[in-house]
Amino acid sequence: MSEHHGDDDTGHRKRGSVSELLERVVEQTREIARAEAELVRAEAAHRASLLRNAVVLAAIALVFAFGAIFPLTQSAVLGLQWAGIAEGPATLIVGAVLLICGIILALVAASLLRKVSSPPDRIKENLSADARTLKESLK
């Protein structure tokens, strides 16, 4: 009878070990889910910051383009004429310089917007690593 009692005790310990293991797996899964949620929040905040910066940069570019372009253009053309360049070529030079400045600002803004719209690779990698860790802990 004592042998039978020993079997029950061993069986109880095995069940206890399995339930403890399952509890640890569930707790680890919760911790991973919380960490992933925090990472998603941080990634969203970072993307919002990039978007905000792109919008601010685009607004500044518009201010330059609409607010200052006419007086600067006129002054630059007159300056080139004063330096001995005819009105036509002077106007073309000033227009080309302003166009290049506008293109540079637009490319920088587009680059920031691409960063905002790209998928978060870090989150995908972390989820894959977490899944592998859980599989290994269940073996």
Side-chain angles (χ1 to χ4, degrees):
M1 197 149 195
S2 63
E3 288 178 24
H4 183 62
H5 181 67
D7 289 340
D8 286 343
D9 193 31
T10 303
H12 179 66
R13 275 191 237 142
K14 284 182 182 178
R15 275 183 253 126
S17 297
V18 170
S19 66
E20 288 172 7
L21 178 63
L22 287 175
E23 285 178 24
R24 277 196 315 217
V25 167
V26 168
E27 184 57 34
Q28 286 176 349
T29 303
R30 285 182 186 146
E31 289 176 21
I32 289 170
R34 277 182 278 218
E36 290 299 330
E38 185 60 35
L39 182 60
V40 168
R41 281 192 290 274
E43 187 73 28
H46 177 69
R47 288 175 179 275
S49 174
L50 288 175
L51 180 60
R52 185 193 72 237
N53 291 344
V55 169
V56 167
L57 186 59
I60 291 170
L62 286 174
V63 167
F64 279 130
F66 294 124
I69 196 165
F70 297 115
L72 289 175
T73 302
Q74 184 180 15
S75 296
V77 170
L78 291 174
L80 289 175
Q81 285 177 333
W82 179 77
I85 298 176
E87 183 179 352
T91 303
L92 183 61
I93 291 168
V94 171
V97 169
L98 292 174
L99 179 63
I100 290 169
C101 290
I103 288 171
I104 290 170
L105 286 173
L107 289 173
V108 171
S111 173
L112 290 173
L113 288 173
R114 273 193 297 279
K115 287 181 183 178
V116 170
S117 64
S118 67
D121 294 331
R122 234 182 355 215
I123 292 174
K124 291 179 192 175
E125 292 169 7
N126 287 347
L127 287 174
S128 296
D130 293 343
R132 283 192 303 272
T133 302
L134 283 174
K135 285 181 185 177
E136 289 173 7
S137 70
L138 292 174
K139 288 182 180 179

